[in-house]
Amino acid sequence: MSAIPAAFTHKKQKILESLAIPDVEYTDLSPKGSVDEGIKDLIRKINRMDGTVTTSSCAGRISVFLEGSKDSRQTTDLADAERFGGQSLQATVPGGKGRGGRWLFVSHDPLVNLQKADTWGKPLTELFGLSTKEHVPECLDPSKIRFVRFQFEPMILHIMTASLQHAQRILSAAINAGFRESGVQSLKNLDDPNAFPMVAVRTAGLALGSVIGCTGVNERDVKILSLVSEGYLRMLVNIANERFQANTERIARFSAHLFKSTSAKNLEWEDPEARRERKRAEGMKRRQEMNQSRAATEATDVGSLDLGKNDDEEVLPMSST
């Protein structure tokens, strides 16, 4: 494994210092504002490894998001904040659509016990900030309204690494664990000695998304209308809960693959062709050993049979005439 550059060590130290702040004081740019409880142990282990440090993370979440304005001339201002009750506004929304989007609901845990109406103190429609009192026009013009999207997003983890060798180790563990869309996002290090490869651990296979509401006919209306029934929302939540479980299992597999590989003696990168040759040679060696063992066992069985025959053979006396 290549030596770890001093510039990487300096950057890692700065990141670890920010993560060392007590939970009550720590904040970041995510809606939650802190590291998710479900992956804190994983992040600690990764940050203890040489040549790796986490830069951002999300353990997985259910979210309801009001997309931003589609008018490129419109800017977010204090009037927008006042109209939406002073809640925080996003400069952009998923997919880069518009300005002034905001979170209506976020949970980093499954929503359980939905059979009980008082679990959250209100129906899901109300919990997600939707209204069923207003009439929804039959024909909606997407260019004039803002949609509300229900989403389940699995874990995403960004890890800065000291070299491509360190990045390959993480990428291999991620893909083998089921995070198939993982990849190396930045290769600036090829030209800049102060830049380092960034690995994104992610999967699109567990993602879930559905439009569940919209603003009024005029996209600047305060009212947010529900486009689906309470039963449909419950179905979405139940599917998201199942994907939370699958996400948790993949995280556990990622951790097992990663820390198993780091304890191995040989951590050097191996190209696919060399790996195929090594696997083929190992397979041939195993088959040869099995054949030798089988031949030795058969020889032993035949020898035992011959000895038994000699021991049991009856010697008949010669008859005299």
Side-chain angles (χ1 to χ4, degrees), residues 69-91:
S69 170
K70 297 167 184 175
D71 184 352
S72 60
R73 297 169 298 175
Q74 180 179 321
T75 57
T76 302
D77 53 25
L78 293 176
D80 285 331
E82 291 174 358
R83 285 189 307 107
F84 290 113
Q87 298 186 39
S88 62
L89 301 176
Q90 289 274 114

Side-chain angles (χ1 to χ4, degrees), residues 64-67 83-85 87 89 100-105 124-137 145-149 211-228:
V64 178
F65 193 85
L66 171 64
E67 66 182 15
R83 285 189 307 107
F84 290 113
Q87 298 186 39
L89 301 176
R102 67 184 179 107
W103 304 98
L104 302 178
F105 179 85
L124 289 175
T125 304
E126 186 178 348
L127 182 68
F128 294 162
L130 307 177
S131 172
T132 58
K133 296 180 181 179
E134 288 76 20
H135 173 68
V136 178
I145 61 176
R146 299 160 63 185
F147 288 108
V148 176
R149 303 179 185 276
V211 172
I212 61 173
C214 66
T215 56
V217 177
N218 184 330
E219 71 165 36
R220 294 183 65 83
D221 285 349
V222 176
K223 297 174 183 177
I224 303 176
L225 313 178
S226 175
L227 296 176
V228 299

Side-chain angles (χ1 to χ4, degrees), residues 60-64 105-111 120 152 244:
R61 68 187 179 193
I62 290 174
S63 66
V64 178
F105 179 85
V106 178
S107 174
H108 290 80
D109 298 298
L111 304 184
W120 291 87
F152 171 76
F244 256 120

